[in-house]
Amino acid sequence: MPSAVLEGMKAAGIEGCHIYHAQDRLVMVIDASDGFSMASAAAINRGNAVVQQWNRRMAALLSGDDRNAPPWNEAHCIFDLERHLRP
């Protein structure tokens, strides 16, 4: 991953990240600071040519109509087993 992408992630408040690739799907799981928002991350990266190139590389892993979709969409956890196992 290019250093400019890593710097943009850090500036946006991303503290940890995993990207999973399965067939034509990408899933990014992030740990972020309390102030993180997808909108602010997008604003930070919008003018960064290196980040835009990285997003195009990631989009190449997708297929069909997904290529025209935004590269990263926010998802919300609907189940976390760990929360149910805590006393």
Side-chain angles (χ1 to χ4, degrees):
M1 183 177 291
S3 61
V5 174
L6 297 172
E7 291 166 10
M9 293 171 79
K10 183 177 178 182
I14 295 175
E15 298 168 344
C17 173
H18 294 87
I19 299 175
Y20 300 90
H21 178 223
Q23 298 166 345
D24 64 348
R25 298 285 181 234
L26 292 174
V27 175
M28 180 189 307
V29 178
I30 63 170
D31 296 315
S33 64
D34 290 338
F36 175 81
S37 78
M38 291 295 285
S40 66
I44 289 169
N45 294 323
R46 193 171 291 119
N48 188 320
V50 175
V51 172
Q52 298 307 313
Q53 176 64 26
W54 174 258
N55 284 336
R56 285 190 294 275
R57 287 182 62 200
M58 295 299 99
L61 299 173
L62 305 174
S63 69
D65 293 334
D66 291 340
R67 291 180 190 268
N68 298 320
W72 303 108
N73 294 300
E74 187 170 4
H76 302 278
C77 179
I78 61 170
F79 180 79
D80 181 348
L81 179 61
E82 188 175 312
R83 291 181 185 173
H84 294 276
L85 297 177
R86 292 182 189 146

